[in-house]
Amino acid sequence: MELPLVAVLLAVGLFLGWGVGVQYARAKRGWTDYKAAKKAVPGARRTAWLLVRAVTTKVGVIALLLVGAVAYAAVGPDHERAEPAPSPSPTASARAGMPGR
């Protein structure tokens, strides 16, 4: 009767050991991944800020150009309000055909 009890205890021990081993391997992999990600964060953060700065600069330049264009359009002469152009002066050939001269 002792032999089946030992076999059952051995099977339970193997099953529990297998479960604990799988969890340990998973935790060790997670810890290794965490350390690698933690080491990569400063570089990724620096790169992200550089990209944000570049995009912000481009958006700022475009906004300044748009504001300048709107200001120029608001101050510049409007063709509908502009003074009429002077009429052309009569030419010499037109004077020659005039009577009395």
Side-chain angles (χ1 to χ4, degrees):
M1 182 99 125
E2 234 177 76
L3 189 59
L5 181 62
V6 171
V8 169
L9 288 175
L10 182 62
V12 169
L14 285 173
F15 182 72
L16 289 176
W18 174 77
V20 169
V22 167
Q23 293 301 322
Y24 176 76
R26 184 179 294 162
K28 189 158 176 87
R29 247 190 341 264
W31 182 250
T32 304
D33 292 345
Y34 167 75
K35 289 195 311 190
K38 186 177 177 183
K39 188 182 290 185
V41 165
R45 184 177 292 150
R46 193 174 306 117
T47 302
W49 279 114
L50 284 174
L51 291 174
V52 167
R53 189 180 313 150
V55 168
T56 305
T57 302
K58 288 177 184 176
V59 167
V61 168
I62 290 170
L64 284 174
L65 288 173
L66 287 175
V67 167
V70 168
Y72 178 76
V75 173
D78 191 9
H79 293 295
E80 295 160 1
R81 289 187 294 147
E83 306 264 335
S87 60
S89 60
T91 60
S93 60
R95 285 189 194 161
M98 293 178 76
R101 287 220 168 179

